[in-house]
Amino acid sequence: MAITGDGTAAEGALPLHSNVTANRTPVQTAAVSGDREAETIGYRGPTACAAAGITYRQLDYWARTGLVEPSVRPAYGSGTQRLYSFRDVVVLKIVKRLLDTGVSLQNIRTAVQHLRSRGLADLTRMTLMSDGATVYECTSPDQVVDLLQGGQGVFGIAIGVVWRDVESTLSQLHGERVDTGETLIGQNPHDELARRRNRAG
């Protein structure tokens, strides 16, 4: 399936729009719902930057332009700290990789909307392929091979690998409990992420 900024589709693919939520199966809807319940830890901007490999300036710009906004807690002024979810940090890292390979901001924005519409279990099985212009979603090795043989896929991002990279990095950094504001250090966030991952699976 092709993800394009203008809603058009590549040959043989269905168009992807930002309102794909209407077509979710009950299983996907349940996964997204479970995801919301599991978001008990948030990560401040500097932590999100370290895990995603981006600068604070990029993080701030993407939040202000609505590309990747913090889903746990937005900034309400100079006194508040943005809090990003684990899923947000995964998306930030994917955006960075897409930008580094020359994908247009318009197509990245559409890809981000698509990623946010999918359940956690879907994300871990997904590979994003791109030829630098169009972003394609592949959920099986056969689809990846088909794209490569057709000359469309120049690079791929296995989201499950990005997920594990972020999980590993965040386990060494500080998280914050959303309900109490308690700072979690070291293995505490990792344990919580492992529980979340098991629940999503």
mmCIF file of all heavy atoms in Angstrom, residues 7 12 15 17 19 27 36 38 51 73 76 91 102 125 136 139 144 146 148 151-152 164 184 189-190 199-200:
data_model
loop_
_atom_site.group_PDB
_atom_site.id
_atom_site.type_symbol
_atom_site.label_atom_id
_atom_site.label_comp_id
_atom_site.label_asym_id
_atom_site.label_seq_id
_atom_site.Cartn_x
_atom_site.Cartn_y
_atom_site.Cartn_z
ATOM 1 N N GLY A 7 -2.763 11.876 -1.206
ATOM 2 C CA GLY A 7 -3.854 10.916 -1.106
ATOM 3 C C GLY A 7 -3.963 10.012 -2.308
ATOM 4 O O GLY A 7 -4.807 9.123 -2.339
ATOM 5 N N GLY A 12 -1.677 -0.174 -8.399
ATOM 6 C CA GLY A 12 -2.137 -1.375 -7.732
ATOM 7 C C GLY A 12 -2.400 -1.210 -6.246
ATOM 8 O O GLY A 12 -2.730 -2.166 -5.575
ATOM 9 N N PRO A 15 -5.696 4.084 -2.149
ATOM 10 C CA PRO A 15 -5.286 5.380 -1.591
ATOM 11 C C PRO A 15 -5.367 5.371 -0.072
ATOM 12 O O PRO A 15 -6.239 4.744 0.504
ATOM 13 C CB PRO A 15 -6.296 6.362 -2.197
ATOM 14 C CG PRO A 15 -7.459 5.523 -2.593
ATOM 15 C CD PRO A 15 -6.924 4.175 -2.933
ATOM 16 N N HIS A 17 -5.748 7.795 3.188
ATOM 17 C CA HIS A 17 -6.103 9.135 3.654
ATOM 18 C C HIS A 17 -5.976 9.162 5.154
ATOM 19 O O HIS A 17 -5.858 8.128 5.810
ATOM 20 C CB HIS A 17 -7.536 9.492 3.243
ATOM 21 C CG HIS A 17 -7.745 9.435 1.767
ATOM 22 N ND1 HIS A 17 -7.262 10.385 0.908
ATOM 23 C CD2 HIS A 17 -8.369 8.509 0.994
ATOM 24 C CE1 HIS A 17 -7.593 10.073 -0.341
ATOM 25 N NE2 HIS A 17 -8.250 8.942 -0.312
ATOM 26 N N ASN A 19 -8.189 9.621 7.244
ATOM 27 C CA ASN A 19 -9.377 9.127 7.943
ATOM 28 C C ASN A 19 -9.475 7.609 7.871
ATOM 29 O O ASN A 19 -10.555 7.056 7.879
ATOM 30 C CB ASN A 19 -10.653 9.746 7.351
ATOM 31 C CG ASN A 19 -10.838 9.380 5.883
ATOM 32 O OD1 ASN A 19 -9.934 8.838 5.249
ATOM 33 N ND2 ASN A 19 -12.005 9.691 5.355
ATOM 34 N N VAL A 27 -10.047 -5.745 15.930
ATOM 35 C CA VAL A 27 -8.785 -6.090 16.580
ATOM 36 C C VAL A 27 -7.869 -4.880 16.650
ATOM 37 O O VAL A 27 -7.271 -4.591 17.682
ATOM 38 C CB VAL A 27 -8.083 -7.233 15.804
ATOM 39 C CG1 VAL A 27 -6.700 -7.495 16.378
ATOM 40 C CG2 VAL A 27 -8.923 -8.497 15.884
ATOM 41 N N ARG A 36 -3.646 3.307 24.695
ATOM 42 C CA ARG A 36 -3.937 4.496 25.506
ATOM 43 C C ARG A 36 -3.879 4.156 26.995
ATOM 44 O O ARG A 36 -3.363 4.919 27.792
ATOM 45 C CB ARG A 36 -5.311 5.045 25.136
ATOM 46 C CG ARG A 36 -5.330 5.734 23.782
ATOM 47 C CD ARG A 36 -6.507 6.690 23.664
ATOM 48 N NE ARG A 36 -6.626 7.127 22.295
ATOM 49 C CZ ARG A 36 -7.492 6.642 21.429
ATOM 50 N NH1 ARG A 36 -8.322 5.702 21.779
ATOM 51 N NH2 ARG A 36 -7.545 7.092 20.191
ATOM 52 N N ALA A 38 -2.142 1.924 28.373
ATOM 53 C CA ALA A 38 -0.789 1.562 28.788
ATOM 54 C C ALA A 38 0.139 2.767 28.902
ATOM 55 O O ALA A 38 1.253 2.636 29.402
ATOM 56 C CB ALA A 38 -0.200 0.561 27.795
ATOM 57 N N ALA A 51 16.674 9.584 22.549
ATOM 58 C CA ALA A 51 16.237 8.267 22.079
ATOM 59 C C ALA A 51 15.964 8.254 20.580
ATOM 60 O O ALA A 51 16.150 7.232 19.912
ATOM 61 C CB ALA A 51 14.984 7.832 22.836
ATOM 62 N N ARG A 73 1.431 14.956 27.112
ATOM 63 C CA ARG A 73 1.159 16.309 27.615
ATOM 64 C C ARG A 73 1.807 17.345 26.707
ATOM 65 O O ARG A 73 3.021 17.389 26.586
ATOM 66 C CB ARG A 73 1.682 16.467 29.047
ATOM 67 C CG ARG A 73 1.290 17.815 29.679
ATOM 68 C CD ARG A 73 1.691 17.869 31.136
ATOM 69 N NE ARG A 73 3.139 17.901 31.300
ATOM 70 C CZ ARG A 73 3.787 17.411 32.353
ATOM 71 N NH1 ARG A 73 3.126 16.835 33.319
ATOM 72 N NH2 ARG A 73 5.105 17.494 32.434
ATOM 73 N N TYR A 76 1.872 23.986 27.585
ATOM 74 C CA TYR A 76 0.827 25.001 27.749
ATOM 75 C C TYR A 76 1.413 26.376 28.018
ATOM 76 O O TYR A 76 0.764 27.254 28.509
ATOM 77 C CB TYR A 76 -0.103 24.615 28.902
ATOM 78 C CG TYR A 76 -0.945 23.416 28.598
ATOM 79 C CD1 TYR A 76 -0.730 22.223 29.273
ATOM 80 C CD2 TYR A 76 -1.947 23.455 27.628
ATOM 81 C CE1 TYR A 76 -1.499 21.113 29.003
ATOM 82 C CE2 TYR A 76 -2.710 22.349 27.340
ATOM 83 C CZ TYR A 76 -2.487 21.175 28.039
ATOM 84 O OH TYR A 76 -3.238 20.073 27.755
ATOM 85 N N VAL A 91 7.873 7.191 16.598
ATOM 86 C CA VAL A 91 7.502 7.962 15.409
ATOM 87 C C VAL A 91 8.556 9.033 15.124
ATOM 88 O O VAL A 91 8.932 9.268 13.969
ATOM 89 C CB VAL A 91 6.101 8.584 15.569
ATOM 90 C CG1 VAL A 91 5.798 9.558 14.439
ATOM 91 C CG2 VAL A 91 5.033 7.492 15.610
ATOM 92 N N GLY A 102 15.696 11.842 2.328
ATOM 93 C CA GLY A 102 15.193 12.748 1.307
ATOM 94 C C GLY A 102 13.714 12.691 1.008
ATOM 95 O O GLY A 102 13.258 13.257 0.013
ATOM 96 N N ARG A 125 5.059 -5.172 13.154
ATOM 97 C CA ARG A 125 5.185 -6.080 11.999
ATOM 98 C C ARG A 125 5.366 -5.325 10.683
ATOM 99 O O ARG A 125 5.477 -5.924 9.633
ATOM 100 C CB ARG A 125 3.944 -6.968 11.890
ATOM 101 C CG ARG A 125 3.782 -7.960 13.029
ATOM 102 C CD ARG A 125 2.681 -8.943 12.730
ATOM 103 N NE ARG A 125 1.380 -8.306 12.649
ATOM 104 C CZ ARG A 125 0.518 -8.229 13.665
ATOM 105 N NH1 ARG A 125 0.858 -8.732 14.840
ATOM 106 N NH2 ARG A 125 -0.644 -7.655 13.530
ATOM 107 N N TYR A 136 5.843 3.470 1.098
ATOM 108 C CA TYR A 136 4.996 2.293 1.005
ATOM 109 C C TYR A 136 4.987 1.541 2.323
ATOM 110 O O TYR A 136 6.006 1.437 2.990
ATOM 111 C CB TYR A 136 5.511 1.333 -0.082
ATOM 112 C CG TYR A 136 5.605 1.941 -1.455
ATOM 113 C CD1 TYR A 136 6.756 2.619 -1.852
ATOM 114 C CD2 TYR A 136 4.552 1.836 -2.359
ATOM 115 C CE1 TYR A 136 6.857 3.184 -3.110
ATOM 116 C CE2 TYR A 136 4.648 2.398 -3.623
ATOM 117 C CZ TYR A 136 5.800 3.066 -3.994
ATOM 118 O OH TYR A 136 5.900 3.624 -5.239
ATOM 119 N N THR A 139 3.736 -5.288 4.961
ATOM 120 C CA THR A 139 3.498 -6.092 6.164
ATOM 121 C C THR A 139 3.953 -7.529 5.983
ATOM 122 O O THR A 139 3.723 -8.359 6.849
ATOM 123 C CB THR A 139 2.002 -6.057 6.536
ATOM 124 O OG1 THR A 139 1.229 -6.441 5.381
ATOM 125 C CG2 THR A 139 1.580 -4.667 6.992
ATOM 126 N N VAL A 144 7.853 -6.622 0.371
ATOM 127 C CA VAL A 144 9.144 -5.940 0.284
ATOM 128 C C VAL A 144 9.871 -6.363 -0.988
ATOM 129 O O VAL A 144 10.388 -5.537 -1.744
ATOM 130 C CB VAL A 144 10.013 -6.251 1.527
ATOM 131 C CG1 VAL A 144 11.425 -5.675 1.358
ATOM 132 C CG2 VAL A 144 9.359 -5.696 2.785
ATOM 133 N N ASP A 146 8.579 -7.615 -3.731
ATOM 134 C CA ASP A 146 7.872 -7.101 -4.911
ATOM 135 C C ASP A 146 8.267 -5.654 -5.208
ATOM 136 O O ASP A 146 8.481 -5.270 -6.361
ATOM 137 C CB ASP A 146 6.353 -7.183 -4.712
ATOM 138 C CG ASP A 146 5.839 -8.616 -4.804
ATOM 139 O OD1 ASP A 146 6.603 -9.485 -5.287
ATOM 140 O OD2 ASP A 146 4.699 -8.870 -4.384
ATOM 141 N N LEU A 148 11.056 -4.111 -4.287
ATOM 142 C CA LEU A 148 12.455 -4.055 -4.707
ATOM 143 C C LEU A 148 12.605 -4.493 -6.160
ATOM 144 O O LEU A 148 13.337 -3.887 -6.931
ATOM 145 C CB LEU A 148 13.312 -4.936 -3.792
ATOM 146 C CG LEU A 148 13.508 -4.421 -2.355
ATOM 147 C CD1 LEU A 148 14.206 -5.463 -1.503
ATOM 148 C CD2 LEU A 148 14.290 -3.126 -2.355
ATOM 149 N N GLY A 151 11.624 -1.919 -8.578
ATOM 150 C CA GLY A 151 12.490 -0.741 -8.603
ATOM 151 C C GLY A 151 11.962 0.416 -7.781
ATOM 152 O O GLY A 151 12.481 1.527 -7.841
ATOM 153 N N GLN A 152 10.903 0.174 -6.962
ATOM 154 C CA GLN A 152 10.302 1.272 -6.205
ATOM 155 C C GLN A 152 10.956 1.465 -4.830
ATOM 156 O O GLN A 152 11.043 2.565 -4.331
ATOM 157 C CB GLN A 152 8.801 1.022 -6.038
ATOM 158 C CG GLN A 152 8.048 1.117 -7.359
ATOM 159 C CD GLN A 152 6.744 0.342 -7.302
ATOM 160 O OE1 GLN A 152 6.710 -0.824 -6.950
ATOM 161 N NE2 GLN A 152 5.654 1.007 -7.667
ATOM 162 N N ARG A 164 12.597 -1.648 19.040
ATOM 163 C CA ARG A 164 13.527 -2.249 19.996
ATOM 164 C C ARG A 164 14.686 -1.307 20.315
ATOM 165 O O ARG A 164 15.155 -1.248 21.453
ATOM 166 C CB ARG A 164 14.034 -3.594 19.470
ATOM 167 C CG ARG A 164 12.972 -4.686 19.496
ATOM 168 C CD ARG A 164 13.537 -6.058 19.158
ATOM 169 N NE ARG A 164 13.949 -6.160 17.758
ATOM 170 C CZ ARG A 164 13.127 -6.482 16.771
ATOM 171 N NH1 ARG A 164 11.839 -6.706 17.018
ATOM 172 N NH2 ARG A 164 13.568 -6.584 15.529
ATOM 173 N N LEU A 184 11.298 8.071 36.939
ATOM 174 C CA LEU A 184 11.726 6.677 36.883
ATOM 175 C C LEU A 184 13.074 6.617 36.193
ATOM 176 O O LEU A 184 13.270 7.195 35.135
ATOM 177 C CB LEU A 184 10.708 5.839 36.099
ATOM 178 C CG LEU A 184 9.274 5.861 36.644
ATOM 179 C CD1 LEU A 184 8.349 5.112 35.713
ATOM 180 C CD2 LEU A 184 9.234 5.241 38.034
ATOM 181 N N PRO A 189 11.590 2.193 33.816
ATOM 182 C CA PRO A 189 10.859 2.400 32.567
ATOM 183 C C PRO A 189 10.904 1.175 31.667
ATOM 184 O O PRO A 189 9.929 0.830 31.018
ATOM 185 C CB PRO A 189 11.594 3.578 31.910
ATOM 186 C CG PRO A 189 12.305 4.253 33.023
ATOM 187 C CD PRO A 189 12.663 3.169 33.989
ATOM 188 N N HIS A 190 12.047 0.473 31.664
ATOM 189 C CA HIS A 190 12.182 -0.706 30.810
ATOM 190 C C HIS A 190 11.166 -1.773 31.218
ATOM 191 O O HIS A 190 10.540 -2.409 30.378
ATOM 192 C CB HIS A 190 13.605 -1.255 30.902
ATOM 193 C CG HIS A 190 13.824 -2.468 30.052
ATOM 194 N ND1 HIS A 190 13.920 -2.390 28.682
ATOM 195 C CD2 HIS A 190 13.933 -3.784 30.377
ATOM 196 C CE1 HIS A 190 14.100 -3.606 28.197
ATOM 197 N NE2 HIS A 190 14.110 -4.460 29.205
ATOM 198 N N ARG A 199 1.401 -6.690 26.645
ATOM 199 C CA ARG A 199 -0.038 -6.427 26.526
ATOM 200 C C ARG A 199 -0.432 -6.166 25.091
ATOM 201 O O ARG A 199 -1.481 -6.615 24.623
ATOM 202 C CB ARG A 199 -0.400 -5.212 27.391
ATOM 203 C CG ARG A 199 -1.901 -4.968 27.464
ATOM 204 C CD ARG A 199 -2.233 -3.684 28.183
ATOM 205 N NE ARG A 199 -1.729 -3.659 29.534
ATOM 206 C CZ ARG A 199 -1.920 -2.657 30.367
ATOM 207 N NH1 ARG A 199 -2.587 -1.592 29.967
ATOM 208 N NH2 ARG A 199 -1.429 -2.678 31.589
ATOM 209 N N ALA A 200 0.425 -5.423 24.348
ATOM 210 C CA ALA A 200 0.126 -5.115 22.954
ATOM 211 C C ALA A 200 0.169 -6.368 22.085
ATOM 212 O O ALA A 200 -0.553 -6.490 21.103
ATOM 213 C CB ALA A 200 1.120 -4.080 22.415
#
